[in-house]
Structure formats: structure tokens, C-alpha cells
Amino acid sequence: MSRVGEVLISEEEISAKVRELGARISRDYQGKDLLMVGILKGAFVFLADLVRAVTLPLRLDFLGVASYGKKTVSSEEVKVFKDLNEPVAGRNVLIVEDIIDSGITTDYLMRLLAVRSPASVKICALLDKPDRRKVTAPLDYWGFQIADRFVVGYGLDAAERYRNLPAIHLLELDDEDRLTEKGV
Ligand code: IMP
Ligand code: MG
């Protein structure tokens, strides 16, 4: 079984960073038709805080994706389980993600949205694990770059648990988890 470990990023650090990102987004998208798209489920907490730090008359929508094959090297694929309700054509889309890991989800989302003729598509992720990247993910806004460690809390899960923790914690894996990657 995995256990929640020490705090990696505190509530205070997160909220300061969210305010900073919100201010930048507010400046960059002034006068533009902004559609913020939260990627379910992991981004729901970050998105809720981030939209309240943006001082523009934005629109909001959700896209639900699940990625499979994380436990194998060969068969990574992304499945959309909830598509957007809002039209994208002519709008400036800002994708809001919890964490960019391999970059596969982000790459898939960019291609999914590009064919719907948006005015622009940019990416905002709270966390970035640059050492894990397998495909290029053009990150326009990010909160924190972290090392290759599994983290939970503030929306992020391990096997659907810990999303409700207010801070971001390291997940402690025991030897069995390490061998089977169970719990992540
Ligand atoms: P990517 O397609 O490999 O970039 O995967 C991104 C997704 O993997 C994120 O949206 C998370 O759901 C999940 N993920 C990657 N690293 C972590 C982590 O450290 N904790 C929790 N979820 C993670
Ligand atoms: Mg997950």
C-alpha cells in the first residue's frame, strides 16, 4: 500500500503561485475571447482557484480524459470520456492541467482542439515534471517544476484517492508498489 508522505508544496505556496498565474493570464488575454478548459479530473481544484484569480469575463468548460498504458512502455493511449460543450472556433483556448508528465495527454489535446479552428490554444499546468517528457508539450504557463516523484493532493490522485488534500504531498511507495506500480 502507498502512503501520503511529506508536503512538497504547501497551501500558501500554491495560492501565491495561483495568484501570480491569474495575474499573468489576465494581462495576456485582455480584450480576447478566453475559454478556459479544465482537464478532468485532476485539474478541478486548480481550475476552481485559478478562474477566481483571473479578472476577465472568461468562459469555462471541461474536457474529461483518461490515459491508459502508464504501466507499460509501449501502449500509451488517451481516451476522451467527456467532450467540450462550448464551441472552440475563433476562441482563445487555455487548457488547464494538473501536471504534465510524459506530455502524451497534452500532445493529444493540442491535436484534438487544433482541428476545431480555435484562434489560439495554450497550456497552463500547475506542475511540470520535465525529466519524464516523452513527447514535446509546449507549456505556456506553469506553476512548479518538480523532480520525478509521484505526488498527490490538490486534485491529484493515486488510484482515485487523496484528491481532497489541500497541499501537494509526496506519495511514499512501498516495495510491492514499486514492483507492480499498484496504487499509482
Ligand atoms: P502525461 O500524459 O504522461 O503527461 O500524464 C498526465 C497525467 O498523468 C496527469 O494529468 C495526471 O493525471 C497523471 N499524473 C502524472 N504524474 C502524476 C503524479 O505525480 N501524481 C498524480 N497524477 C500524475
Ligand atoms: Mg490520475
Side-chain angles (χ1 to χ4, degrees):
M1 275 296 287
S2 52
R3 276 166 278 104
V4 174
E6 65 183 78
V7 170
L8 181 67
I9 307 169
S10 69
E11 285 180 74
E12 292 72 24
E13 289 172 299
I14 296 170
S15 76
K17 186 63 78 175
V18 167
R19 278 197 299 277
E20 186 191 313
L21 287 171
R24 273 183 56 203
I25 293 166
S26 304
R27 274 198 306 276
D28 294 354
Y29 285 89
Q30 190 141 37
K32 293 185 176 159
D33 192 353
L34 171 60
L35 175 64
M36 287 177 70
V37 172
I39 307 305
L40 297 173
K41 301 177 195 169
F44 82 106
V45 178
F46 177 41
L47 183 76
D49 284 343
L50 186 62
V51 290
R52 286 177 288 174
V54 176
T55 54
L56 300 173
L58 56 90
R59 287 185 174 82
L60 176 68
D61 205 351
F62 293 99
L63 227 166
V65 299
S67 47
Y68 296 105
K70 281 201 186 305
K71 291 162 198 159
T72 67
V73 202
S74 51
S75 67
E76 275 120 348
E77 63 176 273
V78 181
K79 187 171 182 290
V80 174
F81 64 80
K82 188 225 166 283
D83 204 341
L84 295 174
N85 297 330
E86 288 292 311
V88 158
R91 293 195 172 149
N92 293 282
V93 178
L94 182 60
I95 296 174
V96 179
E97 289 216 65
D98 52 356
I99 185 165
I100 313 290
D101 186 36
S102 68
I104 290 170
T105 307
T106 309
D107 178 62
Y108 178 88
L109 293 171
M110 294 294 283
R111 286 185 283 119
L112 180 81
L113 295 181
V115 296
R116 300 181 187 180
S117 311
S120 67
V121 183
K122 288 191 174 179
I123 310 280
C124 174
L126 179 66
L127 304 173
D128 178 23
K129 282 188 196 171
D131 298 344
R132 298 261 305 171
R133 208 68 98 248
K134 287 184 191 158
V135 297
T136 316
L139 253 185
D140 302 284
Y141 305 90
W142 68 91
F144 304 92
Q145 288 197 324
I146 62 170
D148 181 10
R149 297 287 303 272
F150 203 85
V151 292
V152 293
Y154 199 71
L156 290 107
D157 76 307
E160 292 305 325
R161 285 183 301 161
Y162 313 126
R163 292 195 196 274
N164 58 316
L165 296 173
I168 292 169
H169 296 250
L170 294 172
L171 190 74
E172 309 269 348
L173 299 177
D174 65 20
D175 289 341
E176 193 198 344
D177 291 326
R178 253 185 264 283
L179 288 172
T180 61
E181 290 191 60
K182 248 190 269 167
V184 292

